Amino acid sequence: MSKDFVNHVINPVTALAYVSFKSRLLLLAGEGPYFKVFDHETTRLVAVTRAFTSQAVHGITATSASTHGNGVTVLELLIWGHRRLRLAQLRDDATAGKPEIVVHLKEAIQANDWILDVRFRPSDSDIPQEVDVVLVTAQNAASLLYTAARSHYPTLKPVTAGPKSMLYSASIEWTEDGRIFVASGTVFGEVLFWSFSQTALDAGATSSASAQLHCRLTGHEGSVFGVRISPKLSHLTFGFGKRLLASCSDDRTIRVWDVSDVEINEPSSDESLEHSEPSIKPIGDDTDQISVERCVATVMGHASRIWDVRFLVSDERLDIISFGEDGTAQTWQLVHKDLGEGLPSKRLDCLHLVHREAYAYHMGKNLWASAHFRNGDGTHSISTGGADGRIVCYNIRLEDYLSTGQLPTSRWKTEDVAAQLEKNKTFTSASSARLQSHRLFNALHGAWKITRTIKSALPSYPSGNFKGKATFERRKPSAEGYHDEYLYSESGTFSADQGLTFQASRQYVYRYQASSDAISAWFVKPDDRSTVDYLFHELRMEDSRETDDRQASQDQLVVRASAYHLCVDDHYSPDYIFQLKNGILDDWSLTYHVKGPQKDFIAEACYTKSFNHGDSKEELETTSALPQSKNHDDSQPGDWEFRNDDFKTYVLLQNKLFLVTTAHGRVLLGSLATPAGNQVEVHKFNQRPSVTWELIDQFEALKSSSIISKLIDSESAFLSGNNGTVFAYDIPKKQISPIFDLGRKAAYLYAQSIHDRKPARESDFQAHLVLATSLGRPVAYIYKFRSSMVDDLRQPFLLALPASFVVTSASYIEAFGVWILGSRNGALAFYDGSLISTERMTEPCSILLGIHGEDAITVIRCLREPKLDQPAYILTTGRDGYYGLHTLSTAGNQLRVQFGTMHRSMPPLGPNIEGASIVEKSDQKSSNLILWGFRSTHFVVWNASTLQERMVVDCGGAHRNWSYCPDEDGNIDGGTFVWTKASVCNVYSQTSASHQVFQPGGHGREIKALAVSPAVQDSDGSPKRYIATGAEDTTIRIWLFHHKHEPEAGFKCLGTWTKHTTGIQQLHWSDDGRLLFSAAGCEEFFAWRVQPVPCIGIGAVCEAVCPKIFHYTSHPTTSHFSLLHTTNYGTNCLNQILHLHTTLDGFPHIYLCTASSDGHVTFWPGDSIFNTPSSPNAGNKALLTSFHRHCIHQNTVKCISTITTSSAQNELVLISGGDDGALGITRLTFHTGGISPTCSTLLYPKAHAAAINAVAALQTARGSPDVHTFATSGNDQRVKTWSLEIFSNEPGTKGLRLQKRRDRPTSVGDVAALVTMSTGRNGDEEMGVLVAGIGMEYLPASEQRIDSIIEETLPGGVL
């Protein structure tokens, strides 16, 4: 069967399995009756076929691939669903022009009960071509399938049975020693663990099989939906040879049981039962074997029922992954409880399950299928399929679980950053001078030999030499705000030039302040020579430099510092010179230049490191070396760290480069690098990024708080702090400098580049615009300057802000010269850029309220520069959870803003949308709209163009400092996220998405409404028909359907709209295809304006909301509903309504036809409602009353449709389907004068085996008679085609001939809607039927009978 054909189907995915085939990993999937093969590496669909006629695939299992003598590799498969099994093969086909993998369907077999689990026998070298299979059915019975090696056709033979019970689940484990273990989950909450021997299988079905019930596990309080037997555990954590069993239930619990000891217990003779055909006796109920003590761990998880569990086994740990009705997969680690020291590692009676991660990659409810494969590197590939028809895959590396989930995140504390800066000496030239202070302060610690020479110009102050010892003794800082402190003491002998000698000593206090990164010297009080008195001087550090080439080779650096002190009238100028060799401070000098009326001398002191006799060189280097290790002891205040400092603000300058400010005013630059060779590859793990830090500078103005704005499309960023000073950061030069002052703390910064157009004699140049607001001022400042920034800074332009307008977003539309500001209360303000001035306030020319309700507008961005005389497309996002696409145009010489919304949607990423970007794909053929924001505690990145979630990070929620930047290299799945959590800087960067989508699927719940639009012109000028579907998941989806001969054959979802609060019940397009009306429960009735938009394909705006059925008027400036009539219909429910158009005496008339739950159709006059010219009561709003009721069905009328005849203008034919499975053909003849219509019904009972839910007209052939073809479908999962002949010369039902022309299955369950549509183009048009319910399927009218396609493969006598 053609692969293109199956792309016309979206069904729940009910089976998944991994297989290895010729060094390739393949994912096998069952979607309805279809069997699909995907290449796991590329996610490409490589093969597909229809395994069953109508039965859904429930399971897939396979053997190992083998290569035959002709070089063809074959993989044997078993596909099952309900009671049916089908043997199949995967073959490689190297023939030119054919796919490399083909599926060959073989025999189909039917079991006598519902099949729950199937396992191939382990390969037997003695019988290489024979494949035996064991299966377990819903009555807890085991059967053996013999393939054609033993008989002409495969045969299925009962073998044995466990305890008689009704099962919901089963798991088979075929052990190496030839025993088959079966775990059975019952309807009544028990788990039965039993086994039988393989010897019976080797002897044949005529031999007895010895079965034994090992234990009956109780504890679940609901039906057991999933069981799984673990392989033998081979690591020490749980003991060698241990085997566990996991189960999940309706009670939302997961239980783990120890079933290790049963493997060595051979059944005794009285426990074994003899079985022979045709009757199989089950194992008796032995109450002594009931066991609850075997439960070693239990946990309650998921928001609803749990369908299945699997073991994830690694070398040192054991995890369980569960799959639930809530649409999530969750991982749990099995760990030992903390019972104190000396806990035996092999005990299983003290375990518990710890939740690790949740994966929510599906829409709606129910994960029906899962597959697990352990890769060679120890990672685990998990694939899941759900009721939404979606197949996703994600990788799990169990050892990567961190506080941020299992993402490979780089985590940094401020002291870690400081240690790396120390080790790598990664300081910019602007910051290196500052950094010498704290680095050198640590190196001063200890004892020094000192020699000082004093040369005085005044005789009153003697000259001479001083020799002695100086010590820097660390002590606790004596004042707040200082990080470290020394008591400096020197003592020795002073020898004056005049020959006088005496002992001398002095003390100072040296302090280090972390916030300013400065060293200062203080006088001490003379009474105790210890207490700080007042400031002496503060060291001003200069750039470090290498002394000369010879010294540079030895890594010798000279660091200088200067200071100043005024003592009454005498000026003190200290100069410090520190010499470092290989990072070691061996000696330094201090020179005082003193000049004044009382003193005039120069004192030169040299300090040399002093250590006691016996001290090693290593001890010397330890005390004098600059700190290298990041593992500082917090009790040692001298170790240089960012102590008491915190990360504050982040901004991603580029995808791999980010800027950080700290509470102490530091500006840090982080550069990301991933391991070599980590390219963008599907399913490859995102690597933990390596971050290299640089200290750019430190400013007092950036302390406590700061904001940063990245200049869009440029290499600059802007920062502002607590005093209103705005700094510019040059990315290539790594330089930061102040550029202007707001006068008070900045509240908002926005920067944008433009092309400043000058007269023709001058070339255009790039200019920068910076918009800033400050706290408490109703004004926005706009600064404009060239790229050189400071040199061309101009006086700011002034924008007057409306009352209570707090700016949260901004954008300048260069083509129109318009400034747009967004506020915290959801309003937009527009300013004419040609009117702004530096001397007076410019008022907004337009203000629009409620663009995002009353929530903050977070992004305003122009999607692309508009062409001449075309509108600009504006994107806005808000914290109301919506994003909008709008058109902006101007008219006249004076700016008149025309702002219209084309699209408004709420993506499923959470209540807060914080950012957006347009990412050009690397192929330059398309653009993707990327949105990001927060959903509960998760940061989420959403691709609005492909409707896929691309990144999820559990960061703790929106209330923290963070920044995100998508990949700038055209990789729409890449991006970097930086955030603070618990005072730790976390960095996560990905090159591939958090998960890979094999097929996107559709609605997460059953579809209830379906409508196909008339042909409308798309943005590219081509006609398109849009398919609208509405489901119980409350969403509306818009689809395009491509013909099977087109490149993108099948369904493509263009958009998902969310506004309804209950399930969608009806959809209808307007005649021009520009309006879509939707009706749902709770009397919701919405009107949507639909139109093509850039980036996302199609947009929609809910123009009006109405709780009842009204007349609707749509206008560019106003859209509203008007109440026309109201009425009541007894106590029965009205569930269908039609407009009937007829002509009587040459005048058009309108009637309303309603169908109800009592099986009747009712007719209502509609002329007065719609004011037709023939209505004598036009405009009368009196209560609408019915004038005729007609009974067709025994109970609810589920669907109705009309057919017009060519013979009489006052005649219609009504087709109806009922809950009774009958098909009704009612001939209606209308009369003038208000007389009730004549109704004649031809009832076709049992037209379907269940309720008929949908009817759709296919085609009409006018003539004598008229021949009408229509299709019906319902809960019996059949689509039937009927032809109706209408003879005008015969009255009533005598003139009706109904014939069933076709009966074919559909893979869609609970069909609720049926629509005919034409597909194809350029003479390749084709008529078909679109079926919707639990899934969606297109059935072409020209398709050959599906029944014959499948049944041809079935050998006689097997079914």
Side-chain angles (χ1 to χ4, degrees), residues 35 276 388 426 432 503 538 590 743 871 1278 1286:
F35 172 74
S276 59
D388 55 358
T426 48
S432 59
Q503 297 295 312
E538 182 174 309
L590 173 58
R1278 310 291 297 184
I1286 304 176

Side-chain angles (χ1 to χ4, degrees), residues 102 160 188 211 227 354 417 509 561 583 619 637 745 844 1035 1152 1249:
V102 295
T160 188
F188 308 107
V227 289
V354 178
V417 175
V509 169
E619 290 174 327
K745 184 177 180 179
T1035 65
L1152 295 180

Side-chain angles (χ1 to χ4, degrees), residues 1156-1177:
S1156 58
S1157 58
D1158 59 1
H1160 287 71
V1161 292
T1162 305
F1163 302 95
W1164 314 74
D1167 292 337
S1168 61
I1169 300 177
F1170 300 103
N1171 299 324
T1172 59
S1174 59
S1175 172
N1177 299 315

Side-chain angles (χ1 to χ4, degrees), residues 1251-1274:
I1252 301 176
N1253 298 327
V1255 60
L1258 290 174
Q1259 57 186 7
T1260 298
R1262 300 294 185 182
S1264 182
D1266 288 349
V1267 180
H1268 301 270
T1269 306
F1270 63 93
T1272 60
S1273 188

Side-chain angles (χ1 to χ4, degrees), residues 881-885 903-907 913 931 1055-1058 1096 1100:
Y882 284 87
Y883 76 94
L885 294 175
H903 178 66
R904 191 169 185 267
S905 180
M906 176 184 285
I913 304 180
L931 306 172
T1056 303
W1057 307 337
T1058 56
I1096 62 172

Side-chain angles (χ1 to χ4, degrees), residues 377 379 395 397 400 406-410 656 672-681 683-691 975-976 987-992:
D377 58 357
T379 62
N395 286 332
R397 183 187 286 116
D400 275 345
Q406 64 144 342
L407 296 177
T409 304
S410 182
K656 304 297 182 184
L672 272 65
T674 52
N678 180 34
Q679 304 298 323
V680 181
E681 297 179 6
H683 301 309
K684 298 299 182 184
F685 274 104
N686 294 302
Q687 303 295 318
R688 179 176 286 105
S690 174
V691 182
T976 301
V987 184
Y988 171 68
S989 184
Q990 70 176 34
T991 55
S992 59

Side-chain angles (χ1 to χ4, degrees), residues 893-1066:
N893 295 328
Q894 290 188 349
L895 180 66
R896 287 188 299 166
V897 174
Q898 297 176 350
F899 192 80
T901 299
M902 303 176 63
H903 178 66
R904 191 169 185 267
S905 180
M906 176 184 285
L909 62 81
N912 296 333
I913 304 180
E914 299 291 346
S917 180
I918 306 298
V919 178
E920 299 285 344
K921 293 188 68 174
S922 54
D923 56 10
Q924 301 295 320
K925 294 182 179 180
S926 61
S927 301
N928 284 252
L929 173 58
I930 309 297
L931 306 172
W932 55 88
F934 292 89
R935 180 178 61 220
S936 184
T937 61
H938 291 79
F939 176 78
V940 181
V941 179
W942 175 261
N943 189 326
S945 299
T946 61
L947 305 177
Q948 293 182 6
E949 190 175 88
R950 308 320 287 152
M951 179 189 288
V952 181
V953 179
D954 187 358
C955 65
H959 301 291
R960 65 197 61 254
N961 295 316
W962 62 275
S963 182
Y964 173 77
C965 180
D967 199 323
E968 299 174 344
D969 299 326
N971 175 23
I972 60 175
D973 293 334
T976 301
F977 179 49
V978 185
W979 74 100
T980 299
K981 185 175 183 180
S983 299
V984 175
C985 171
N986 298 267
V987 184
Y988 171 68
S989 184
Q990 70 176 34
T991 55
S992 59
S994 57
H995 61 285
Q996 298 296 326
V997 179
F998 284 73
Q999 65 181 33
H1003 287 282
R1005 297 285 300 278
E1006 55 270 26
I1007 300 172
K1008 291 295 186 181
L1010 176 66
V1012 179
S1013 75
V1016 295
Q1017 296 293 323
D1018 198 0
S1019 56
D1020 59 2
S1022 60
K1024 287 185 172 60
R1025 294 181 182 270
Y1026 297 115
I1027 302 170
T1029 57
E1032 288 291 344
D1033 60 4
T1034 74
T1035 65
I1036 298 172
R1037 286 179 175 257
I1038 304 298
W1039 308 78
L1040 272 182
F1041 181 77
H1042 297 281
H1043 192 263
K1044 61 184 178 182
H1045 299 307
E1046 294 178 303
E1048 297 181 358
F1051 294 102
K1052 179 182 180 181
C1053 185
L1054 301 180
T1056 303
W1057 307 337
T1058 56
K1059 188 173 180 64
H1060 285 282
T1061 59
T1062 54
I1064 314 296
Q1065 301 300 317
Q1066 294 289 340

